[in-house]
């Protein structure tokens, strides 16, 4: 297994928790394995970019163990609130944690799958992933990474030669198995399961595991853990909003306790600053609409606090939950100023700018991709008329954090509207032409370089 020797650092910390958290499982035996996407930029950070194509497919399509890490895949156990209804009958139903590695900074990363076959938690599902779903996950993770949202990264997508029947898209459709690289796969729902079973020892062990392995802190204090999660999830909510991103399914089993976004199903990018914009066709009440995402994430973190009451006093947990809004406010200012490409000036002027910005975006209905492209650096073009006067004045004292010297600024804004996602998928479905996907990934990465 050729890797970059100085960078490949295997780990197996999940084994420390014992089978209270996971079940050993086996991957499906796929009829075919055709490599469709290989993220060497991500792989290079953990020493896996040196794999040959055959080795890559063996590890990420057939799931031969990587040296020194988990000896077999582990399906994680968890519960969760799904659209505010508690469900104790879930867990990794079409995925598992395949390996753990550390990057050059020592950060622990999980390699987890989607579409790798049935597990004890599949219920009535086939444990598979559609190829289109895998393509959509590539596009979501690449775009979010470029827009400074903490996100899992799509490491690999391999087509598996199976045909799947789905009720919400043309069937039969092609199948795939995906591998994501994520800063842990411990969810709020993981803690909810332990609270449901009144497992105090398991809860203490999990708190210590997360603080030590995912936060780098030698502690097993549940209040300290909640403090970190409140902080990270407030940041995540703010960056979703600045990116114009709508996750679609912010259930408590989809919220990672490291504050890293993952598991992309019916996601969309909002075309305009429309708080009522919904990504999931089945979200009839708009529970997870664009403008309600901070509220939804806060509600999920409240469920973590409720779970931690098993081993902690209520008052300090409640006090931390009440801080969520106060931590979110400066984070949304930072996130929007980052996307505007200006240097923050301080709490009061930054908040005033954000309020002026949101009013202008809602009143004008301008396209978000167009606006943030034009306004980067803090100077609105003359084509932005009188209705933008208040924002132009508010931006006046702000200095640009980066010049518009990257070639990206000589072209057009790079967006990820649903129409373009469908246009990227169409040639793959019709004639197995992947060129539009590869071109889009390159364009998104160029935008990320321009913004970074």
């Amino acid at each position: 297994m050729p890797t970059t020797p100085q960078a490949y650092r295997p780990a197996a910390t999940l084994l420390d928790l014992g089978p209270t958290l996971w079940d050993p499982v086996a991957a499906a035996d796929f009829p075919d394995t055709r490599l469709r996407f290989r993220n060497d930029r991500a792989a290079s950070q953990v020493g896996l970019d040196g794999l040959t194509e055959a080795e890559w497919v063996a590890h990420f399509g057939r799931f031969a163990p990587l040296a020194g890490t988990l000896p077999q895949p582990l399906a994680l156990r968890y519960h969760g609130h799904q659209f505010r209804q508690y469900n104790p009958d879930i867990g990794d139903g079409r995925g598992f944690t395949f390996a753990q590695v550390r990057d050059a900074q020592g950060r622990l990363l999980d390699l987890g799958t989607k579409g790798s076959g049935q597990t004890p938690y599949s219920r009535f599902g086939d444990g598979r992933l559609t190829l289109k779903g895998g393509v959509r996950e590539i596009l979501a993770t690449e775009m979010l990474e470029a827009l400074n949202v903490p996100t899992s990264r799509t490491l690999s997508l391999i087509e598996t030669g199976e045909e799947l029947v789905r009720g919400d898209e043309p069937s039969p459709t092609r199948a795939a198995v995906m591998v994501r690289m994520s800063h842990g796969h411990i969810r709020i729902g993981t803690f909810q399961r332990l609270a449901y079973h009144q497992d105090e020892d398991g809860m203490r062990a999990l708190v210590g595991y997360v603080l030590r392995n995912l936060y780098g802190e030698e502690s097993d204090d549940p209040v300290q853990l909640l403090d970190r999660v409140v902080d990270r999830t407030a940041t995540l909510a703010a960056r979703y909003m600045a990116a114009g991103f709508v996750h679609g399914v912010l259930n408590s089993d989809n919220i990672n306790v490291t504050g890293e976004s993952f598991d992309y199903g019916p996601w969309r990018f909002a075309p305009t600053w429309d708080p009522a914009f919904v990504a999931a066709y089945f979200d009839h009440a708009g529970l997870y609409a664009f403008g309600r995402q901070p509220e939804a994430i806060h509600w999920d973190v409240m469920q973590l606090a409720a779970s931690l009451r098993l081993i902690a006093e209520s008052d300090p947990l409640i006090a931390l939950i009440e801080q969520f809004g106060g931590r979110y406010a400066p984070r949304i200012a930072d996130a929007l100023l980052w996307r505007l490409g200006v240097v923050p000036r301080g709490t009061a002027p930054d908040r005033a700018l954000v309020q002026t910005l949101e009013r202008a975006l809602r009143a004008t209905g301008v396209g978000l991709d167009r606006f943030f492209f034009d306004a980067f650096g803090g100077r609105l073009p003359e084509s932005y008329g009188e209705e933008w006067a208040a924002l132009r004045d508010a931006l006046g004292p702000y200095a640009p954090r980066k010049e518009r010297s990257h070639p990206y600024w000589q072209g057009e804004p790079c967006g990820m509207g649903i129409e373009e996602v469908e246009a990227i998928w169409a040639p793959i479905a019709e004639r197995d032409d992947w060129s539009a996907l590869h071109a889009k990934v390159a364009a998104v990465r160029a935008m990320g370089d321009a913004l970074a």
Side-chain angles (χ1 to χ4, degrees):
M1 185 188 71
T3 63
T4 308
Q6 69 274 19
Y8 179 67
R9 300 173 60 188
T13 61
L14 273 177
L15 298 178
D16 297 341
L17 285 168
T20 186
L21 187 72
W22 42 256
D23 293 274
V25 293
D29 184 13
F30 299 116
D32 193 12
T33 45
R34 300 183 66 188
L35 180 58
R36 295 303 195 177
F37 178 78
R38 170 176 171 154
N39 189 343
D40 275 323
R41 185 169 70 165
S44 67
Q45 296 180 357
V46 292
L48 293 172
D49 52 315
L51 293 172
T52 66
E53 182 170 322
E55 289 168 329
W56 187 281
V57 170
H59 290 302
F60 304 133
R62 299 297 180 187
F63 298 100
L66 283 165
T69 180
L70 302 176
Q72 65 186 115
L74 304 176
L76 301 188
R77 302 174 178 179
Y78 48 85
H79 290 179
H81 278 89
Q82 299 183 309
F83 286 84
R84 303 284 167 91
Q85 299 297 312
Y86 193 76
N87 189 348
D89 297 319
I90 54 178
D92 279 342
R94 58 172 174 168
F96 48 63
T97 300
F98 165 63
Q100 295 183 291
V101 291
R102 295 188 184 275
D103 64 14
Q105 288 71 47
R107 187 173 73 150
L108 181 68
L109 296 163
D110 288 355
L111 303 186
T113 66
K114 193 172 185 178
S116 51
Q118 293 179 312
T119 77
Y121 309 103
S122 299
R123 292 177 287 170
F124 301 107
D126 60 14
R128 280 12 183 215
L129 170 70
T130 67
L131 183 62
K132 183 178 183 181
V135 168
R136 284 175 49 84
E137 188 125 0
I138 292 168
L139 294 171
T141 54
E142 290 285 338
M143 192 70 174
L144 289 173
E145 183 183 353
L147 291 175
N148 202 34
V149 177
T151 179
S152 64
R153 301 169 76 184
T154 306
L155 183 68
S156 172
L157 184 68
I158 291 175
E159 190 169 357
T160 60
E162 296 178 313
E163 291 189 337
L164 305 178
V165 175
R166 293 289 187 265
D168 56 354
E169 62 181 273
S171 296
T173 189
R174 293 150 71 180
V177 63
M178 187 194 82
V179 176
R180 72 166 68 96
M181 189 165 75
S182 178
H183 189 202
H185 279 84
I186 305 299
R187 312 150 190 259
I188 288 174
T190 315
F191 289 84
Q192 288 181 281
R193 177 183 171 276
L194 294 171
Y196 180 90
H197 290 295
Q198 295 290 294
D199 184 352
E200 294 185 24
D201 290 342
M203 184 73 79
R204 290 190 180 92
L206 184 59
V207 167
Y209 174 89
V210 171
L211 284 170
R212 284 191 300 276
N213 292 290
L214 303 182
Y215 282 94
E217 300 177 10
E218 288 299 325
S219 172
D220 57 3
D221 180 2
V223 176
Q224 182 173 331
L225 173 63
L226 183 63
D227 178 70
R228 303 300 184 264
V229 175
V230 167
D231 209 59
R232 291 278 188 91
T233 53
T235 298
L236 174 64
R239 293 191 187 179
Y240 271 174
M241 298 302 291
F245 181 71
V246 189
H247 184 282
V249 190
L250 290 175
N251 297 331
S252 62
D253 57 296
N254 283 340
I255 303 296
N256 189 325
V257 293
T258 62
E260 184 181 78
S261 179
F262 75 114
D263 202 15
Y264 302 101
W267 62 268
R268 297 275 188 95
F269 281 88
T272 64
W273 195 273
D274 176 7
F277 182 81
V278 173
Y281 69 88
F282 46 82
D283 187 4
H284 305 295
L287 182 65
Y288 299 142
F290 174 52
R292 296 184 68 182
Q293 291 183 117
E295 169 199 337
I297 292 173
H298 184 199
W299 191 92
D300 287 329
V301 177
M302 288 172 62
Q303 309 320 304
L304 174 61
S307 300
L308 291 173
R309 287 176 59 191
L310 182 66
I311 58 170
E313 295 297 324
S314 296
D315 287 350
L317 300 174
I318 293 170
L320 284 169
I321 286 296
E322 291 175 345
Q323 292 180 26
F324 186 93
R327 297 193 192 188
Y328 172 78
R331 305 300 164 76
I332 185 62
D334 288 345
L336 284 169
L337 267 60
W338 180 90
R339 197 165 183 199
L340 281 167
V342 296
V343 178
R345 295 178 58 229
T347 301
D350 292 349
R351 288 187 180 181
L353 174 61
V354 167
Q355 292 170 356
T356 304
L357 171 63
E358 290 187 359
R359 283 196 295 269
L361 292 176
R362 292 188 67 173
T364 62
V366 67
L368 294 182
D369 297 325
R370 180 83 258 172
F371 168 77
F372 283 111
F373 181 89
D374 291 342
F376 189 84
R379 300 295 177 265
L380 293 179
E382 290 302 317
S383 57
Y384 283 67
E386 189 60 30
E387 66 271 31
W388 294 94
L391 181 60
R392 183 175 276 108
D393 290 344
L395 281 168
Y398 280 83
R401 67 170 175 84
K402 192 173 184 180
E403 298 301 322
R404 296 174 65 107
S405 56
H406 191 280
Y408 170 71
W409 302 113
Q410 308 308 312
E412 288 295 310
C414 180
M416 195 66 76
I418 188 61
E419 298 82 4
E420 185 172 8
V421 173
E422 293 296 327
I424 290 168
W425 169 249
I428 296 173
E430 294 165 7
R431 55 186 183 275
D432 210 31
D433 180 355
W434 292 75
S435 59
L437 173 68
H438 296 307
K440 187 63 180 182
V441 169
V444 169
R445 291 181 178 182
M447 177 185 71
D449 292 342
L451 293 173

